[in-house]
Amino acid sequence: MQALIAAGRLHTVCQEARCPNLWECYARNTATFLILGDRCTRDCRFCAVGHGAPAPPDPGEPDRVARAAAEMGLAYVVLTSVTRDDLADGGAAHFAATIAAVRRRLPRARVEVLIPDFQGNPEALAAVIAAGPDVINHNIETVPRLYPRVRPQADYRRSLQLLARVAASGIPAKSGLMLGLGEDEEEVCTVLEDLRAAGCRILTLGQYLQPTPAHLPVVSWVTPEGFEAWRRRALALGFDEVAAAPLVRSSYHADECFQALER
Ligand code: SF4
């Protein structure tokens, strides 16, 4: 997988974000493609992805991603990106072009996109929705009280509004939180209720892990039993599918979450 990704001059969030599940997913022949470069215009304090001035979008990337996905024989393709606040549409047109390229090469494959907030730009989101992905994921990441410390350039209400627009389009909306950054139980419950009220159907919950000493420290550890309790509470709130465990990440076993939703 690594050779194929390198040969395609591609990035995966698996590698860039130092995901602990990389070996398992690569061995399962799955990966989450990181489009629009590996330099993010934001600086979330939990994220290992590189920051700084990104290069212009590469017009050849959509087809390279589609070719790599076809070579991997993927039935479920996940696309994500860094946040490109330097672009008027936040990179939405590039997402749409990549979805279309994958659809051309793999007409039977399912496509999930994990998108940034496009700074709340409704036209940008509409362009991604119009490209017709099977699932649209946008992470809420943590509780609103922690936003200034954890993801200072993001906005909790803006993210909820984006998820509500996705749900209104009929495309399943998905979101996720990291636990262990200092949130309390009541705050997590409120976020789960807000996500449900926005129409979110799929949820991921995982343990925050500190990528480097320069990133935020882990404040608390949630046990596997604790995650199971959260999974049951979220299902009781009406989520169709919940993946909750210490090493669960946004796209971890994303195909299985979607199949469960279909069932
Ligand atoms: S916006 Fe996304 S890629 Fe950028 S720093 Fe935050 S989490 Fe990382």
Side-chain angles (χ1 to χ4, degrees):
M1 281 287 276
Q2 285 177 320
L4 199 153
I5 289 161
R9 291 182 287 119
L10 299 170
H11 302 287
T12 66
V13 75
C14 323
Q15 287 165 298
E16 302 303 327
R18 304 181 183 203
C19 180
N21 302 310
L22 184 148
W23 308 108
E24 181 196 340
C25 293
Y26 278 22
R28 283 181 74 236
N29 206 28
T30 64
T32 297
F33 295 100
L34 184 71
I35 61 175
L36 290 159
D38 60 354
R39 288 265 159 269
C40 186
T41 54
R42 295 189 183 175
D43 187 17
C44 302
R45 305 305 311 125
F46 61 85
C47 179
V49 171
H51 316 292
D58 172 352
E61 185 179 52
D63 194 56
R64 287 204 315 277
V65 167
R67 231 179 305 130
E71 213 164 315
M72 295 175 196
L74 295 182
Y76 201 90
V77 180
V78 186
L79 308 171
T80 190
S81 82
V82 293
T83 295
R84 296 293 303 257
D85 291 334
D86 60 312
L87 302 174
D89 73 345
H94 198 78
F95 261 104
T98 310
I99 295 166
V102 171
R103 291 265 187 247
R104 278 194 300 276
R105 285 190 182 263
L106 289 168
R108 298 166 61 83
R110 299 290 185 171
V111 179
E112 174 172 324
V113 293
L114 171 54
I115 58 173
D117 64 20
F118 300 128
Q119 296 192 81
N121 175 343
E123 287 80 36
L125 178 60
V128 174
I129 288 172
D134 297 282
V135 173
I136 297 181
N137 189 355
H138 174 69
N139 282 327
I140 205 87
E141 303 288 12
T142 187
V143 300
R145 175 177 58 83
L146 297 179
Y147 265 51
R149 198 160 62 82
V150 174
R151 51 189 323 229
Q153 296 105 337
D155 179 292
Y156 181 75
R157 290 283 145 206
R158 183 166 67 197
S159 286
L160 282 179
Q161 188 183 52
L162 181 147
L163 288 161
R165 287 188 174 132
V166 171
S169 77
I171 296 175
K174 175 178 178 178
S175 192
L177 284 94
M178 301 167 285
L179 301 181
L181 282 159
E183 70 290 335
D184 66 36
E185 195 174 328
E186 200 182 326
E187 289 176 310
V188 176
C189 282
T190 304
V191 172
L192 298 190
E193 287 158 6
D194 286 347
L195 288 173
R196 276 303 299 140
C200 202
R201 299 178 60 190
I202 309 174
L203 177 73
T204 61
L205 295 172
Q207 170 71 46
Y208 167 63
L209 294 176
Q210 187 183 29
T212 75
H215 290 87
L216 288 172
V218 174
V219 174
S220 63
W221 299 92
V222 182
T223 63
E225 297 72 25
F227 276 106
E228 180 51 25
W230 276 121
R231 193 181 75 84
R232 286 200 296 273
R233 286 174 90 161
L235 289 170
L237 283 171
F239 287 95
D240 291 285
E241 185 57 20
V242 180
L247 291 185
V248 162
R249 295 294 180 266
S250 312
S251 310
Y252 185 64
H253 291 218
D255 51 342
E256 290 169 8
C257 284
F258 180 74
Q259 282 147 20
L261 191 77
E262 280 203 310
R263 273 195 305 276

